[in-house]
Amino acid sequence: MDIFVGDQNQAAAHVSDLIAELLYSKPNASIGVATGGTMVGIYDELVQRYERGALSFADARVFLLDEYIGLARNSTDTYWQTIRRLLAERTDLSDDEVFGPDGAVEDLIAEANRFDQLVNEARIDLQLLGVGLNGHLAFNEPGSSLSSRTRVVDLATTTTEANARFFETNEDVPTRALTQGVGTICQASHLVLVAFGTEKCDVVQNAIRGPVSDLLPASVIQTHLNVTVVLDHEAAQKLG
Ligand code: GLP
């Protein structure tokens, strides 16, 4: 496992280097993208590099980790629209090459299976990952099997509370989601987990140094052969 520690700008630059190198060697790469506050600076850095002509997403495809259930597909709060806004609208990544589970369909189980198969066939080259305060990966809350597949999940209270900042009222925060399973995520060739801030230091320490357990889904990264963890100094402060 590679561990990079720096300030948040250096961290965003490091992640962008990894993505730029991938796109250079494989322009039609499949990139797994994540949402959450941690990722915003990384997308800004990628956009700046695109504007400088340093990278191109023209032949790339991106795949989301997860999606809220119950929001209209075109709602600005869906993760699908978020990635289109943060990345596709600002680069040469085609809008049509942003793939995610649709949380607005009637048959959610069929949708979970469809997306799982899509990800399986896409063979993700690099998967960006944030981590929840409770150790969740994507929306795999504590207790999710480490071999789980894409499915419908209920969100933990800590997750809906943390995500409330993105919504106008607490009642607007979705309580269910479709998420790639932990097993689905681990099929990616390279996992890049990013965490910032003091509030993530315990979960980072436990995910990297603690026991591998479905009680802390992020600990699964210890079992993957190609992992890069990118931290700011605050998130890294408890690492021995
Ligand atoms: C959401 C997403 C996760 C993300 C997490 C952390 O719950 N489903 O994929 O890792 O938020 O978000 P933040 O970066 O805002 O701390």
Side-chain angles (χ1 to χ4, degrees):
M1 182 186 298
D2 275 345
I3 302 180
F4 175 94
V5 182
D7 64 31
Q8 290 189 15
N9 289 333
Q10 291 166 333
H14 188 69
V15 174
S16 299
D17 285 347
L18 296 173
I19 293 175
E21 281 160 25
L22 170 64
L23 286 169
Y24 184 73
S25 62
K26 189 178 178 188
N28 64 345
S30 294
I31 302 173
V33 289
T35 48
T38 311
M39 298 295 153
V40 172
I42 293 168
Y43 298 136
D44 287 346
E45 173 70 21
L46 288 169
V47 168
Q48 283 173 24
R49 289 182 187 214
Y50 162 74
E51 287 170 348
R52 291 203 304 268
L55 59 78
S56 166
F57 291 97
D59 297 320
R61 298 188 299 164
V62 308
F63 295 83
L64 276 89
L65 282 169
D66 47 13
E67 185 59 88
Y68 289 122
I69 288 173
L71 298 179
R73 193 62 170 155
N74 287 324
S75 151
T76 51
D77 293 322
T78 64
Y79 284 168
W80 186 61
Q81 288 292 6
T82 301
I83 291 296
R84 284 159 61 116
R85 197 167 55 242
L86 291 176
L87 204 56
E89 281 176 17
R90 301 159 79 200
T91 65
D92 57 355
L93 174 66
S94 165
D95 253 3
D96 298 335
E97 302 296 340
V98 179
F99 299 93
D102 186 346
V105 299
E106 208 162 294
D107 190 344
L108 292 164
I109 293 173
E111 178 61 7
N113 293 338
R114 178 196 71 82
F115 190 67
D116 199 79
Q117 201 171 333
L118 194 69
V119 170
N120 188 26
E121 286 164 5
R123 298 182 174 275
I124 306 290
D125 295 291
L126 182 153
Q127 176 65 60
L128 281 175
L129 292 169
V131 58
L133 291 172
N134 62 0
H136 75 215
L137 273 192
F139 274 136
N140 293 283
E141 301 287 15
S144 298
S145 158
L146 299 186
S147 57
S148 53
R149 308 300 307 184
T150 305
R151 67 201 187 287
V152 175
V153 290
D154 291 319
L155 301 180
T157 311
T158 49
T159 302
T160 51
E161 283 170 1
N163 291 350
R165 68 190 194 278
F166 296 113
F167 293 86
E168 243 167 60
T169 72
N170 286 349
E171 288 69 46
D172 293 335
V173 188
T175 56
R176 292 196 307 155
L178 281 162
T179 184
Q180 283 191 38
V182 184
T184 318
I185 292 168
C186 286
Q187 287 180 305
S189 303
H190 184 189
L191 302 181
V192 179
L193 184 131
V194 190
F196 295 153
T198 304
E199 70 272 21
K200 296 268 174 84
C201 70
D202 287 315
V203 79
V204 164
Q205 151 77 9
N206 291 332
I208 296 177
R209 306 268 193 250
V212 175
S213 160
D214 62 10
L215 295 176
L216 197 86
S219 66
V220 79
I221 61 171
Q222 295 179 44
T223 69
H224 194 285
L225 294 175
N226 187 10
V227 177
T228 306
V229 178
V230 180
L231 306 170
D232 68 2
H233 297 289
E234 289 73 19
Q237 65 189 271
K238 292 221 171 148
L239 287 183

